Amino acid sequence: MNRRNFTNRMSLIAMATVLGGEIVFGHRMPKNYIPLGLQDPDPFKMFSKDKEMVVLNDKPWNMEARAHLLNDDITPNKYMFIRNNGRIPENIDASQWTLTVDGESVKNKKTFSLADLKDKFQHHTYQLTLECGGNGRSEFNPPAKGNQWTVGAVSCAEWTGVRLRDVLEDAGINSDAVYIGYHAADTHLSGDPNKEPISRGVPIQKALQDETLLAFAMNGEDIPLAHGFPLRLVCGGWPASTSGKWVNRISIRNKVHDGEKMGGTSYRVPCETVAPGSKVADSDMCIIESMPVKSLITYPKSGALIKEGETLKINGHAWAGELEVSKMEYSIDFGSTWQSCSLKKPTNRLAWQHFSATVSFPKKGYYEVWARATDTNGKSQPMVLPGWNPKGYLNNACHRIAVKIV
Ligand SMILES: Nc1nc2c(c(=O)[nH]1)N[C@H]1C(S)=C(S)[C@@H](COP(=O)(O)O)O[C@H]1N2
Ligand SMILES: [Mo]
């Protein structure tokens, strides 16, 4: 994205002139701060995002939703979080786009045009939950570096594409294949053309699942640029970092993929739990695979006021990585007692599931509604933060909203 950074050229007074008035609390603004609406370009317009989305970083662009924005069964683009590690590629010509399948374990290295992929292989559509491994990072203590995601780095859109399996099998997979790794067209923030911002992958078993797609459409349209136009890998239920955007090469590897952000503390957690703040040796870190069970109350918005005697219908979504959610409960007494919610089956494997409940409150006062999902292995969300890890991944603690009965 070509951004003209006029941060240094614009004073508060000049900004106030543009805004047509005094900036309230302007004297408290950090020196180089430019209100987002005045940034050039405006990220909300540039990415077609709702104004209530929250920008966490502009170099690279990272944006999250708030819980109440995620109320739709299928997440529309305007509420979908954006997570970039590098610079979004520019001037993409989809008619010139190619995907190469290579690697130590490919039988015949092959390059497909986008049209080849669309013509040659059957199309499939799935709703797939994509959650950033760092969703919930902001709560860890000692704090973890990186985007301070709260709860909004999750989406479940409808993805259409061809099966990665069909494409890999067309090139041929040798029996020693253990992993795939993606390569993509985004560029490193440093501008160094020899550095990739990210190149991750999944074990071959995950790559060969029915639902693992090379997607060319999202919610029935071309994938929006920020989400990987014109071709994206989608591995539902796994850290969304495995779902490579702008993908132009897939390597079939005879070893665990060793691309950028596969090692060190990136998308890895201590193999054995550690005390908060511990230093962990690289050799004791393990790659995150399926995401843990989690849920989000998407209605009402936290802070709702309810009249005494009225019931409150709550709803939201729950997901469990590779597994299904088998039970959904809520509590209005800080986890002392739990009541069951009604829970729908997923539309397809790896799609999030919708829950709802009608909640009655005994009397006036301040309440919190907590939600807790349990997966088919019997594992429930923890009520407080789960195991600390150096980069603050996998926070699947119960979501809570505040409600006041007046
Ligand atoms: N090429 C590429 N793919 C990428 C990334 C990236 O920076 N570059 N970020 C990954 C991470 S960490 C996440 S969480 C998801 C975010 O997907 P979204 O921006 O479409 O929501 O994309 C993944 N795929
Ligand atoms: Mo991520």
Side-chain angles (χ1 to χ4, degrees):
M1 284 281 135
N2 188 9
R3 69 178 358 264
R4 273 177 293 137
N5 186 346
F6 63 148
T7 306
N8 300 323
R9 284 191 271 121
M10 236 182 153
S11 67
L12 267 182
I13 299 158
M15 277 198 274
T17 313
V18 176
L19 283 173
E22 196 188 331
I23 297 181
V24 184
F25 295 129
H27 60 288
R28 289 199 202 153
M29 276 175 21
K31 213 171 164 212
N32 286 330
Y33 179 78
I34 301 279
L36 282 167
L38 279 184
Q39 284 196 359
D40 180 15
D42 173 344
F44 300 96
K45 282 203 191 117
M46 180 168 58
F47 302 123
S48 304
K49 298 295 174 186
D50 186 89
K51 283 278 183 200
E52 281 193 86
M53 296 286 284
V54 181
V55 176
L56 299 185
N57 196 344
D58 61 352
K59 288 186 194 78
W61 285 110
N62 284 287
M63 253 187 196
E64 77 168 332
R66 300 168 196 257
H68 69 277
L69 300 178
L70 292 171
N71 196 40
D72 298 272
D73 286 357
I74 296 174
T75 312
N77 177 49
K78 64 180 174 178
Y79 300 137
M80 182 178 275
F81 78 99
I82 298 177
R83 163 60 170 139
N84 293 319
N85 290 264
R87 289 194 198 146
I88 297 175
E90 287 178 63
N91 308 321
I92 292 172
D93 178 355
S95 70
Q96 297 300 312
W97 194 267
T98 58
L99 176 86
T100 298
V101 179
D102 66 3
E104 304 92 350
S105 300
V106 73
K107 281 213 170 78
N108 303 296
K109 176 177 164 180
K110 245 183 170 172
T111 295
F112 303 87
S113 68
L114 204 56
D116 287 340
L117 290 174
K118 290 184 183 176
D119 292 347
K120 206 166 168 173
F121 304 103
Q122 210 188 321
H123 297 187
H124 299 271
T125 297
Y126 297 105
Q127 293 176 19
L128 297 166
T129 310
L130 292 186
E131 181 180 17
C132 179
N135 197 21
R137 173 178 294 141
S138 61
E139 288 187 69
F140 280 100
N141 201 8
K145 286 204 189 101
N147 289 292
Q148 294 300 302
W149 305 109
T150 64
V151 296
V154 61
S155 66
C156 184
E158 191 178 79
W159 295 94
T160 300
V162 297
R163 285 190 173 132
L164 178 61
R165 182 179 67 218
D166 292 347
V167 178
L168 298 184
E169 282 175 351
D170 190 74
I173 308 167
N174 283 333
S175 59
D176 63 350
V178 296
Y179 231 87
I180 65 101
Y182 70 74
H183 298 274
D186 48 343
T187 50
H188 199 269
L189 289 176
S190 65
D192 184 342
N194 298 315
K195 276 192 181 163
E196 288 178 294
I198 187 167
S199 167
R200 304 202 66 241
V202 291
I204 193 79
Q205 296 82 353
K206 175 69 179 168
L208 299 181
Q209 280 184 357
D210 284 358
E211 300 83 5
T212 301
L213 296 180
L214 278 166
F216 44 76
M218 182 183 107
N219 297 339
E221 290 172 9
D222 281 352
I223 301 174
L225 176 63
H227 297 291
F229 176 83
L231 191 68
R232 166 176 210 171
L233 181 61
V234 192
C235 303
W238 282 47
S241 53
T242 60
S243 292
K245 306 193 273 191
W246 315 290
V247 64
N248 54 21
R249 181 156 69 97
I250 303 269
S251 300
I252 311 180
R253 307 296 313 264
N254 64 2
K255 56 180 177 192
V256 174
H257 182 58
D258 51 1
E260 192 58 36
K261 306 215 167 164
M262 285 300 293
T265 52
S266 296
Y267 308 103
R268 304 205 306 168
V269 292
C271 305
E272 281 158 24
T273 49
V274 299
S278 303
K279 271 225 166 340
V280 187
D282 268 8
S283 53
D284 294 333
M285 297 287 282
C286 286
I287 299 172
I288 300 169
E289 300 204 324
S290 170
M291 290 295 285
V293 62
K294 196 162 170 179
S295 61
L296 202 55
I297 304 166
T298 57
Y299 184 87
K301 183 176 169 175
S302 186
L305 295 178
I306 312 293
K307 280 213 188 86
E308 193 179 10
E310 282 180 5
T311 56
L312 171 67
K313 173 129 190 277
I314 61 162
N315 49 261
H317 318 290
W319 59 97
E322 279 292 310
L323 301 175
E324 218 173 271
V325 177
S326 58
K327 186 168 72 172
M328 191 67 217
E329 297 161 293
Y330 72 90
S331 174
I332 57 166
D333 54 12
F334 305 94
S336 297
T337 61
W338 293 89
Q339 279 73 42
S340 59
C341 300
S342 75
L343 174 69
K344 289 194 185 148
K345 281 280 189 190
T347 300
N348 53 257
R349 221 175 69 77
L350 314 180
W352 66 17
Q353 296 167 241
H354 316 300
F355 69 85
S356 62
T358 303
V359 184
S360 305
F361 299 89
K363 55 182 181 189
K364 283 186 188 169
Y366 170 85
Y367 292 84
E368 287 179 16
V369 183
W370 295 15
R372 181 171 76 178
T374 302
D375 70 23
T376 43
N377 279 351
K379 277 200 177 180
S380 300
Q381 291 180 256
M383 282 178 263
V384 295
L385 271 182
W388 184 91
N389 59 87
K391 284 294 291 274
Y393 295 120
L394 305 181
N395 175 5
N396 67 333
C398 291
H399 182 226
R400 326 159 169 200
I401 59 162
V403 176
K404 212 164 175 189
I405 311 301
V406 291

